[in-house]
Every structure is written in structure tokens, then in C-alpha cells.
Amino acid sequence: MSPSAATQSSDLMEVIAARRSQARMRAGLALGLTLGFGAITGWAWAMAWFCIYAGLQAFEYFVLARRTPPPWAAVALLVTNSVVFGVFALAGPLNDGAFGLCCWICLLCGGQLNSALTSQKSRLAFLASSTPFALYLAATPVVALWLGAKPHQAVSIAAAAALIVIFTHMIWRAAARALTAESEARALAEAADAAKSAFVAMVSHELRTPISAILAGAVEAKSARSAKVRDSNLELISSSARMMRTLLDDLLDMSKIEAGRMGVEITAFDLRRLMLETVRFWAPVARRGNLAFRLEGAHSLPAWVEGDPTRIRQVLNNLLSNALKFTESGAITLRMAAEPCPDRTFALILEVIDTGPGMTEEQIGGLFTAYGQLSDSVARTHGGTGLGLNISRELARLMGGDLVADSAPGQGATFRLSLNLSLGEAESPADTALQEQTGLSVLIIDDHEINRRAFTLILQGAVDPIVTAENGQDALAILARQPFDVVLMDLNMPKMGGLDCTRALRAAAGPNQTTPVIALTASAARSEIDVCLAVGMNAFVMKPVEAAELFGAIERVLDAHEATVAAVA
């Protein structure tokens, strides 16, 4: 049996099963029709009809409870029910003339509508149950002529009968489409819920792994008897923390994409250097896996361009990471091409090509779906959230490009990132010697002691003195009596948050009224950044904070502050 025939048979059996549950209701309806129309059809005819029709319902209710009929028997059952039902109405015009004909037409209309409403799942069931009613309606003009109707009256009755049949079919189609759409929506919702549940379970597992490693590494590092063992445990802690940050970054990026809050920035950067750094990062990983790492077309790239280097690097890292995960032997190729376009723009094509197992068309179709991976074994074997490719495609499209995949089983896979970038101007080299400066005073304001200790560890040696406060109120008291070069401000704190604290600092005269304030935030939403700048903050750093990002932000705000002071002087 073909898949379509099997589906039709399954749908037909669903209609039959639903009809069985309505058998007693149909028997009760038959009794009401017998009592209501018996005087028109004749009581003897009505009682005989009731016995036959009720017997059919009893057969359907009791016999079909024990066994499922074959499709041909189910169709025959539906046809027989409709034929018997229509026969009852036929006695109306035979016994009571034109009035009986009206009653017959009304009953046939009811039968047609019932066929449409009880057979939405199966076209075969609808045709089997409605066709007898359609034939009865087709006979109404003939019966009308037999009763003495004029030809034009018979034509009008025929037109009305045809409209009834057509409208009934339209009603069935609309109901069937609505039922199909509802079923598909329910299936998609259930699949999405199942995928999200599996995703949450997987993320819980993925987070437990680095947390366990951090706890174990911390215990071992504390009791280590040699510097080598301590360094090894510290490296374990650092690697686990980076793993957790990757997971959290994926979750945050996905939530921002779903909320429509993800954004990209345009800045000048060295494209060739970005590619070189990416290759330098992943080449050792490929060598450890006994894979060749090839670079093609680097000479065609322009140097300085305008775009979002962070997001381009993120997409590339995702693609190369996946390629290395799924390629056991052979090579990974990063192919680059740039085609000049008018108005100082060019089309950038970056391809990541692997020699892995490849994918089917079905797998490619679900490749960029959120909360999913090609199989459960992928998460168990390689880890990860399964969000990387979905996030990468969304980022590519936010940057005005796209990300597509091309593959076949046994032939590896090619992921193609296409972007349109503008040519940029080289920036003047920045002074990155903050770590060598001394005498800088910093106030760290955060309600979590762990964060205050972490920021202190990052800054100690480069900044002195370092003062901490756990909320905005305590910070204002410190800022009123002691000058600082930089203030690191958390946003969400008890008693007084970072935004209110900054407003109060800028509004009141004091030694730190113009001191640069850097926001420490877990959100990169443009709206929240704008609010931070509007209240008087000078920059922001995303949590979890990395040393290079924090030092870079401090250096930028200090340079800007010195330039402002010099301009005023």
C-alpha cells in the first residue's frame, strides 16, 4: 500500500471510529424524525424505516467495537446509512405531495451538512456519505414534475439542489482545511515543545559538566603540592569557564533574536588580520585531529573594511568548530573571495568546506532550526546547544547577507557565508599600554561579592587603589569624599541601581561628577545601551567580563576624558 493510500485508509478509519461514538445520538435522532414526520410519510413506513435505520446503528455500535472493518466495508457502511436515511424522506412527496417534497428537501439538506461536518478528516468518507444525498437531490426536479410542477419550477428546484451540493462540498473543504491546519499547528507546537524540553535537558547537562570541572579543579588546585599540578587545575577551571560562557552567549543571543533585539554594529576593521587570527586559532585544533587546514583566496581580500568584526568572527568560529567536530579525516578548507561592487563596496564570500560524512536533503532542511541538532547522538557526542547555526544565519541576515549549506551523503559539506561590506580606512594604532600604568584609582560597584572579587583580580597590578561598594547608595557616599579615575557600575542592584546612581552622581557637585563610568551589563540590547549613555555613563562592558575587554573600555574612556578636559582648558 502506497503512503498516500495508507493515509487515506487511516483517515477513513478515524471517521468510522468517531461515528461509532455518535451511534446512539443518531438512533435518537431517527426516533425524533419518526415521530415528527410519521404523519407525512405514513406511520407504517416510518416505523419500518426506524427499525432498519436503528438496526444499522446498533450494528455499527456493537459489531465495530470488536473489529475494524476493511476500507471497502467502511465505505459500504457509509453509503448504506445515507441511502437508508434518504429513503425515509422519499416517502414524503409520495404520500403528501408538494409539502412532502419540501420536507424531503429539508431532510436531504440536513443529511448533506451532516456528511460535511462528520467527515472532515477523510475525503473518501465524505464522498461515500454525501453522494447518495446528492443523487436524491438530483431526483427532486423529476419528482416535482411528477407532482405537477411546471418546467421552469423544476429548473429552479434543480438549480437549488445543485447549489446545495456545491455549497456542501465547499463547507467540507473549508472544514477539512481548518482541521488540517489545526492538526499541523498542533504537531508543530508539540514538536517545538519537545525540542525545547530536550534542549533544556541538554543545556542542564552541558552546564553541569563545566561546573563539576570547576569545582573539582578548585579543590585540587587548593591542595596541589606542585606548581605544575596547580597550573593544570587552573587551566581546567579556565577552560570550563570558557565553555560555560559559550553556552550562555548562545542562550542570550537566541533570546535576543527571538525578541527582535539583536543588532550589529558598523566599524572599521582589518579583514585580513581577522582571517589570519581565525586561522591561527583553529589550525592547531585541526592538527591535533590529524586534519589538514587549507586557506584559499586570502590574497583577494581587501585590508580595511567596514562591518561587524565580532559577529563575522562569531559566525566563522561556529562554522569551523562544526566542521572540525564532524570531520574525522581529510581536510578543512577556508575559501575566501571578494568581488568589487560599485560605490566602494564588495561582495565577500567565505566558504568552510569539510570532508566529513555529509548530509541528506532532509538534514539540510532542518539544519538551521533553533533548539535542534541532526540527532540526539550529536549532542551526546559533541556537546553544544544546537543553536550555533541558527544564530549564525540570523547574524548573517542582520548584516545584509546570508548563510547556506550544500552537502550530499559521503561528500562532505560546504557552508557559504555571503556579505556585502564597504571599504574602510585604516585606524591609527591605539595605545594598549594600560596594564603598564600605575596610580589609577577605580571604584567597583556590584551587589555580588564574587563579581567584586573577580573584577579586583582582573585589575590588581594595573590599578591601585581599588575600592568596592555593593549598591548605589554606598557608592555615592564613597564618591562624595574620594576621587576616582574610573567607576565600574553594575546596573541591577538593591537599594539603588546603577542608572539611578549615575544620575545622582552627574547631578551633584563633587570630586567625581565628571569621572568616567563604565556600565557592567549582561544585556547588549541597543535600548538598554542608549539608556546607559543617556544617564551619563561613558561605556559598557558585557558580562561575563574578560580582561582584554575591560582594559580596552577603561583605556577608551580615559582617553576621551583627557581629551575633554584638554578641550575645556
Side-chain angles (χ1 to χ4, degrees):
M1 182 182 294
S2 65
S4 60
T7 301
Q8 291 178 8
S9 177
S10 174
D11 292 344
L12 177 61
M13 291 304 106
E14 283 193 40
V15 172
I16 295 298
R19 278 180 56 83
R20 181 183 174 274
S21 65
Q22 301 166 358
R24 286 181 291 185
M25 181 189 70
R26 289 196 300 276
L29 176 63
L31 179 61
L33 291 175
T34 300
L35 297 176
F37 291 89
I40 297 175
T41 61
W43 288 107
W45 175 263
M47 292 306 297
W49 173 84
F50 174 74
C51 291
I52 296 172
Y53 190 78
L56 276 173
Q57 309 318 307
F59 171 82
E60 192 169 344
Y61 185 79
F62 291 107
V63 175
L64 298 186
R66 299 186 184 93
R67 56 182 299 181
T68 301
W72 66 266
V75 171
L77 179 66
L78 293 172
V79 172
T80 303
N81 266 275
S82 297
V83 169
V84 173
F85 187 91
V87 165
F88 174 68
L90 180 60
L94 297 178
N95 290 341
D96 206 6
F99 181 76
L101 179 63
C102 292
C103 293
W104 183 31
I105 294 174
C106 290
L107 288 175
L108 293 177
C109 288
Q112 279 277 63
L113 288 173
N114 183 67
S115 298
L117 296 176
T118 58
S119 306
Q120 300 169 12
K121 185 70 175 175
S122 170
R123 178 183 291 274
L124 184 59
F126 170 68
L127 293 175
S129 59
S130 67
T131 298
F133 293 119
L135 295 175
Y136 282 130
L137 285 169
T140 53
V142 178
V143 175
L145 289 172
W146 177 71
L147 292 175
K150 296 179 181 180
H152 71 275
Q153 294 172 330
V155 171
S156 297
I157 293 174
L163 287 176
I164 291 170
V165 173
I166 293 171
F167 287 157
T168 303
H169 188 264
M170 292 173 63
I171 290 171
W172 175 83
R173 286 186 62 187
R177 286 174 178 172
L179 182 64
T180 301
E182 180 184 354
S183 299
E184 291 176 351
R186 185 185 301 113
L188 287 173
E190 290 173 354
D193 287 342
K196 284 195 175 184
S197 297
F199 170 77
V200 170
M202 180 272 299
V203 168
S204 297
H205 175 269
E206 289 294 313
L207 284 175
R208 288 191 186 99
T209 300
I211 288 174
S212 300
I214 289 172
L215 294 174
V219 171
E220 293 298 324
K222 186 176 180 180
S223 59
R225 297 181 179 179
S226 68
K228 184 177 180 180
V229 173
R230 184 176 62 254
D231 290 344
S232 175
N233 286 299
L234 291 176
E235 176 59 27
L236 173 64
I237 294 173
S238 178
S239 299
S240 301
R242 287 194 294 270
M243 183 188 301
M244 289 183 66
R245 175 168 183 168
T246 299
L247 288 168
L248 293 175
D249 283 346
D250 281 352
L251 293 175
L252 289 172
D253 283 347
M254 196 64 222
S255 67
K256 285 184 282 187
I257 288 172
E258 290 182 338
R261 295 167 55 190
M262 176 65 81
V264 296
E265 62 180 19
I266 303 298
T267 184
F269 69 98
D270 189 338
L271 179 60
R272 292 179 182 174
R273 180 177 179 181
L274 186 148
M275 294 295 111
L276 179 61
E277 290 174 349
T278 302
V279 171
R280 284 177 175 172
F281 181 84
W282 289 107
V285 181
R287 285 195 296 271
R288 286 197 296 270
N290 295 318
L291 299 173
F293 193 105
R294 299 170 181 165
L295 191 64
E296 298 180 1
H299 63 278
S300 67
L301 298 184
W304 283 86
V305 299
E306 292 184 350
D308 193 328
T310 301
R311 296 307 184 186
I312 294 175
R313 190 193 305 271
Q314 180 179 349
V315 175
L316 266 182
N317 285 342
N318 257 321
L319 299 182
L320 290 168
S321 175
N322 283 342
L324 290 165
K325 283 179 184 178
F326 296 103
T327 305
E328 295 183 357
S329 62
I332 306 296
T333 302
L334 176 57
R335 181 179 296 162
M336 296 164 277
E339 299 180 4
C341 299
D343 303 326
R344 289 177 57 81
T345 64
F346 66 96
L348 175 65
I349 306 295
L350 302 176
E351 292 182 331
V352 175
I353 306 167
D354 64 56
T355 56
M359 295 171 286
T360 63
E361 291 186 7
E362 182 180 358
Q363 288 175 323
I364 293 175
L367 198 60
F368 297 98
T369 302
Y371 308 109
Q373 288 177 316
L374 295 184
S375 67
D376 293 339
S377 63
V378 172
R380 292 192 299 268
T381 304
H382 301 291
T385 61
L387 298 176
L389 288 177
N390 179 268
I391 293 171
S392 296
R393 171 173 277 186
E394 293 296 330
L395 289 174
R397 290 176 175 176
L398 282 172
M399 291 186 287
D402 203 358
L403 175 63
V404 298
D406 183 25
S407 181
Q411 298 182 19
T414 298
F415 287 84
R416 185 176 298 106
L417 172 64
S418 57
L419 297 171
N420 286 322
L421 301 177
S422 301
L423 295 174
E425 299 293 335
E427 293 182 346
S428 57
D431 181 11
T432 58
L434 175 65
Q435 290 89 333
E436 300 174 2
Q437 296 185 28
T438 57
L440 291 178
S441 58
V442 174
L443 173 63
I444 301 171
I445 311 168
D446 197 296
D447 57 323
H448 289 289
E449 182 184 358
I450 291 177
N451 284 340
R452 297 196 298 272
R453 291 173 62 185
F455 299 145
T456 300
L457 284 173
I458 292 173
L459 294 173
Q460 67 183 8
V463 173
D464 185 41
I466 300 174
V467 181
T468 63
E470 63 182 41
N471 60 67
Q473 286 185 356
D474 294 347
L476 287 177
I478 296 173
L479 290 165
R481 62 176 184 266
Q482 181 178 347
F484 292 93
D485 294 299
V486 178
V487 176
L488 304 182
M489 182 84 71
D490 185 26
L491 295 186
N492 299 310
M493 295 179 290
K495 295 185 180 180
M496 179 181 285
L499 296 177
D500 291 336
C501 180
T502 304
R503 288 190 189 95
L505 177 66
R506 298 305 188 213
N512 295 290
Q513 187 176 27
T514 61
T515 297
V517 176
I518 298 175
L520 305 175
T521 174
S523 172
R526 187 71 250 176
S527 57
E528 185 164 320
I529 294 171
D530 290 341
V531 172
C532 291
L533 298 177
V535 301
M537 293 182 174
N538 303 87
F540 68 94
V541 174
M542 283 284 295
K543 291 182 178 180
V545 175
E546 290 193 357
E549 295 176 0
L550 184 58
F551 283 124
I554 292 175
E555 182 182 353
R556 287 193 299 273
V557 297
L558 288 177
D559 288 345
H561 183 62
E562 290 176 3
T564 302
V565 172
V568 173

